[in-house]
Amino acid sequence: MKRANIYKNTLLALTVTGVVFTSCKNKPKQVADVSVKEEVVKNKQPNIVLLFVDDYGWSDIGYRNQTFTTPNLDKFKKESLDFNRAYIPTPTCSPSRLSLLTGKEAIRLGMPRHISLDKNNPNAEYNLWPTDPVQMPSRNYLPLKEITYAERLKELGYYNMFIGKWHLGHPGRYPKDQGFDAEYGTTNAGHPKSYYYPFFKAEDDPRGFLKSGVKEGDYLTDVLTDGAVNFIKDYNKEKPFMLSFWYYSVHGPSIGRKDLLKKYQDAGLKGKYAHHAAMVEAMDESVGRVRKALEDKGIADNTVIIVLSDQGGAYTNAPLSGGKKGGNTLGEGGARVPLLINYPGVTTANTETNVPVQSIDIYPTLIEIASGKKCEDTQINGVSLLPILKGETLEKRNLYFFRSYEDQYAAVMAGDFKLIKYHSGTYHLFNVAKDISEQDDLMGKGLQIEDELKNDLANWEKEAVPVYTK
C-alpha cells in the first residue's frame, strides 16, 4: 500500500474510511442527564464497564508482587480471564487512548507520541519532540472523523458515560464530541498537578470540574470513583450502558492517599515508591467500589468488566525489563500491561491465556459483545478477543509497536519472539516466553525467525508509517 502524506492534513486511508463509514459519524444529540424516569430492565445486551488505569505496570498487582495490596484486583482475577501477554501498540498516554478508542495502531494516524501543545500555538495539528532523533511530527488530537467504540455502541443502543482522563484533544474534541453521551472529570491535562484538591490548574479545566462540588481534602481517584458509583446507582434508562472510567492514577505526580501511605513507609518503601504503592491501593479500592455498585444495583450478572492499563509503570517493572522511562519502553516492562476480562456466562473463572493480544483488540470485542454478531468494521487493525473469552484461540498474527521519542522506535512480535529495532541500526531479538526479562539476546545466533521478523517489520513500516513532507 502506498504510504500517505499526512503532514498536510490527511491520510488517504482516512478519506476512504470517512466515505465508507459516514453512517458511523452521524452523531446523535448529546445527552448529559442520566436521571430520566425510565423503567430499569434486565437487558439482553450486557452493560460494559471499562476500567482503564494510567501507567499501571504489569508487575504492580498483588497476585504478582506482594509489595502491593490489591485485594479487589486479586479477587477479580480469581473470577475472570487473565491475559498474561497483553500489549499496547504505542505505549504512551495519548496514542494508547487512540488505539483503545478506534481499534487502530496509533502510528497509522500519525500519533507516535503523547499530545504536547505549544502554548504559543495551541491549535497546531502536530508537535515535535526535542530528543527524537528523526524529529517525526506527532498529532495533537484524535481527528473527529475517526470512528470510536462509543459511536459504534451508540448505534447498537448503548448509553455511553465517560469519566476521567481524556488526553486526546481539547474542547471541541472531547468525549462528547466522539460519541459519549456524558463526561465527568475530563480536563485538558495529561495528569493532575496534585491528587489532592484542587487537582488541576484552572486553565486546564474548561468544563468546570473544579466547580462541581469537589473541595479541600478530596482525593482525585476517590472523587472520580464517586462519579462512577453514582452513575451506576442512579442509572435508570431502559437501554444498556457502557461506562468508560479512564483513571488519571497511577500516573505521576506520585502522591499517595494519606491514610494509606504510612503502612508502605513502615514496610520500608522509600520516597515516591511508597506513594506509588499507596496510589495503587487507592485505585484497587476504586475497582472494588465500582464492582460493589454493580452488585448493589443487581446488574453484576449482566455486566462485562474489563481492566486494562495504558502502558508500563514508571518505577521498577521487575521481572520485566524496561518501563515507561529509560529508553526501553518497547521492552516487556513498558509495552506489556495488565488485562483482565469478566464476561458473566462466557469467561471461565480463574483462567489465564498466554496468547499475545493488543489493546486494539478491545474495539472489535466490544462491538461483538454489544451486537451479538461478528464485527465487520474494516478500518480497524485489531481482532475480536471473543474466541479467547469463550475458551478458544485466535489465528496466529504479528503484533507491531512504534514510538518516536528516542533511538528505540519499533518492534514486532510473532508468537514467543520479539524483535526490537533502533534508529541507530541496532536490533535485539528475544524469546519472551522463555526469557521474560529479555536478558538473552538471540540476534546473530542463526535463527530463521531473525530474518523473517526483520522483513516483516520493514514491510509493515512501509505500509503503516506515514511519510511526512515539510
Side-chain angles (χ1 to χ4, degrees), residues 225-236:
T225 305
D226 290 343
V229 168
N230 290 336
F231 168 77
I232 294 168
K233 180 181 68 174
D234 297 336
Y235 189 77
N236 54 13

Side-chain angles (χ1 to χ4, degrees), residues 50-52 56-58 61 63-64 73 76-77 80-88 100 305-309 336-342 351-353 355-362 365 385 388-389:
L50 172 58
L51 304 175
F52 191 40
Y56 186 41
W58 182 86
I61 194 165
Y63 62 84
R64 291 192 178 114
L73 286 170
F76 186 61
K77 184 252 193 308
S80 307
L81 173 60
D82 187 357
F83 289 77
N84 277 326
R85 294 182 60 195
Y87 297 90
I88 305 296
L100 178 60
I305 303 177
I306 302 170
V307 177
L308 176 69
S309 173
R336 186 192 288 208
V337 295
L339 171 60
L340 300 104
I341 301 180
N342 183 302
T351 53
E352 299 179 350
T353 176
V355 176
V357 302
Q358 283 185 321
S359 55
I360 52 176
D361 301 329
I362 299 298
T365 305
L385 300 178
I388 299 180
L389 301 185

